[in-house]
Amino acid sequence: VQLQASGGGLVQAGGSLRLSCEVSLRTTSTTVGWFRQAPGKEREFVAAIFRWNAGRTYYGDSVKGRFSISKDNAKNTVFLQMDSLKPEDTAIYYCAAGDRLILSTLNNERNYQYWGQGTQVTVSS
């Protein structure tokens, strides 16, 4: 399974970006998540679509109400729409996928088997 993340860039505070994650192979139960890592900080859970066909979405507390995760079934692609961006959203954003996640482990990066290369998001003040 390969994941290709794209869409990062430089944006001013209050602006928007949309990240994409193309998944080469998935099943009906694949979960796809986004994590981010800022310099000097641990990787943080951002959002996930739990079990592809079910399509339930979950968010980290710091992005609720500002970010939205969605998917395109035909393109095997997951999107992360990021609105009202803040300087503290600056990080490398990674998409990840896993086939054996349960709900209680959704936000733990160790439960995702496959990872994309990361895309840089920089929000200027």
Side-chain angles (χ1 to χ4, degrees):
V1 178
Q2 294 182 330
L3 292 87
Q4 181 69 41
S6 62
L10 173 64
V11 65
Q12 289 188 331
S16 298
L17 280 175
R18 188 175 82 155
L19 305 183
S20 299
C21 176
E22 184 175 355
V23 183
S24 65
L25 185 66
R26 60 158 180 91
T27 69
T28 57
S29 61
T30 296
T31 292
V32 178
W34 286 96
F35 289 79
R36 66 186 182 185
Q37 188 166 22
K41 295 187 176 181
E42 294 185 351
R43 196 168 294 185
E44 175 189 17
F45 171 75
V46 176
I49 289 182
F50 180 61
R51 297 188 180 173
W52 190 278
N53 274 20
R56 289 184 286 176
T57 60
Y58 297 87
Y59 299 91
D61 289 340
S62 61
V63 305
K64 282 180 181 176
R66 300 187 299 122
F67 290 13
S68 177
I69 190 170
S70 62
K71 61 182 173 72
D72 183 323
N73 291 332
K75 297 180 179 180
N76 279 359
T77 299
V78 172
F79 302 101
L80 184 68
Q81 178 66 39
M82 306 185 295
D83 298 321
S84 302
L85 283 162
K86 305 175 182 179
E88 50 263 44
D89 294 317
T90 295
I92 299 175
Y93 283 70
Y94 299 91
C95 62
D99 290 320
R100 296 183 292 275
L101 278 80
I102 58 175
L103 195 55
S104 62
T105 64
L106 199 65
N107 61 350
N108 189 329
E109 62 179 296
R110 290 175 292 183
N111 294 297
Y112 291 78
Q113 292 88 34
Y114 311 104
W115 289 81
Q117 82 284 7
T119 184
Q120 176 71 48
V121 171
T122 302
V123 184
S124 63
S125 58

